[in-house]
Amino acid sequence: MSRRWIQNPNRCADEYLDGIEDFIAFARAHNPGATRIRCPCRRCNNTLWETTENVQFHLVRNGMIETYSTWTYHGEQLDIGSSSRATGVENVEPIVDPNEQVMDILNDAFPFASTSSIQEGEDDVPTSMGSADFEEYEKLLQTANKELYPGCEKFSVLTAIVELMHGKIKYRMSNLCFDYFLGVFKRMLPTDNCLPKDHRQAQKVLNGLGLGYQKIHACKNNCMLFYKEYETLDTCPICNESRFKTTSQNRMTKIPQKVMRYLPLKPRLQRLYMSTHTATDMRWHKEKRVDDDVMRHPADGEAWKEFDRTFPEFAADSRNVRLGLATDGFNPYGVLNQHHSTWPIFVFPYNLPPWKCMKKEYMMMTVLITEDPGRSIDVYLRPLVDELKDLWTNGVRTTKGYMACPICKENVTSSWHAGKVCYLGHRRWLPWDHEWREKDKEFDGKKEHGLRPREWSGDEILEQLNRLDFAPFGKTVSRTRPATHMNWTHKPMF
């Protein structure tokens, strides 16, 4: 089946319209009984689920993703055994159901828990994740495996909450409206259902999946933030204004004059590399971009190329992150006679392809200033600048050392024991008839029948060492460093 129609710029042409009909027929044939399918238009980008009628309309209005020539999200699999690049449409699989989607979200949010070899009953938890995070993961996993009501096979509690919250955000539903419908759904379901009764309870369940923020008090006159060395002060050292509003003496809690919200950038950058869906796209700017002197992406611009020439070591690694920063004020209430304005500060990852880097899903709001900062916006940028400096100097851990044995290399066998990563499989080096190969309880509980690993020559090891970019002495980390002009880097060091 020819897919050349996808690149046809004329979406009213008969070839394009016939191609859409073929795609809809293909999706229906390989997903029988499905009421919704992923929409592969350029706006939905296979992330939203729509009816086939809406998908057909979106494809005419927005066009299909030009690189989506193998319809993997709609049942088609790539024929790996074929020497040609033809797709094997005979081997198909149904689209992912909502429960599997939620498990993918859970695995992306807690990659260390999902990839580490933690068995049921083990006491050791990887330090790269932390005991508190692991408890949160176990709580969410239990919710993901719990039926919405006894006998319900299509929806778990977590799946139902994610679906409902997605609809709330997509259609801009207020909290009061959401509470009303959530109460109606709860009364419709069997009495022993586990659906939350309101938005607040649903939000508590999803807090473990989200990315939090911190409140930082600010001076009434925008002089400074009560942050770091000024965190314990009650008055501004510059203008002597009180940090808190004057309230009744009987009031137990103090109300700050001004508050800004800061959303840490490190975990948001880490998410781009934790998820298998975005880690590949973060290298698009160098590995898949066509350099033909046509301006389609910031990487085609002269400023980007000049920066690469200035910092060639930085430019050599395609995983290094480049970010753009933007801000503007607006009146959230739409009343022109009010002087109130809100100033969000966004960061955009320019590593992503042009059809993704400006999508709202990848816009990272790092600062939310709830009042007009005037000319003192630099005061509110201090937490972001401090984090940029820390990322540049120290980096942040995003990888694990399960493949770091210099002897076994790609044949390494490793797992988590006694609070650290241990490299096992050393009995493979023993003779075939050695008694230790047959022992299991004395080692890792398994008998060893593996082959002796390949032995590398000195020249081969030296050649591999010359290709490495060594980190400074200390802990093995993967670094996320900022470059000048709001360009950032994510550089794993081994």
Side-chain angles (χ1 to χ4, degrees), residues 219 223-224 226 233-243:
C219 172
C223 300
M224 44 79 72
F226 293 93
L233 299 181
D234 289 336
T235 58
C236 174
I238 299 175
C239 65
N240 294 324
E241 278 286 347
S242 174
R243 176 178 181 173

Side-chain angles (χ1 to χ4, degrees), residues 206-213 263-264 267-269 271:
L206 297 181
N207 279 342
L209 289 175
L211 296 166
Y213 65 90
L263 296 82
R268 286 162 174 79
L269 288 178
R271 289 289 174 95

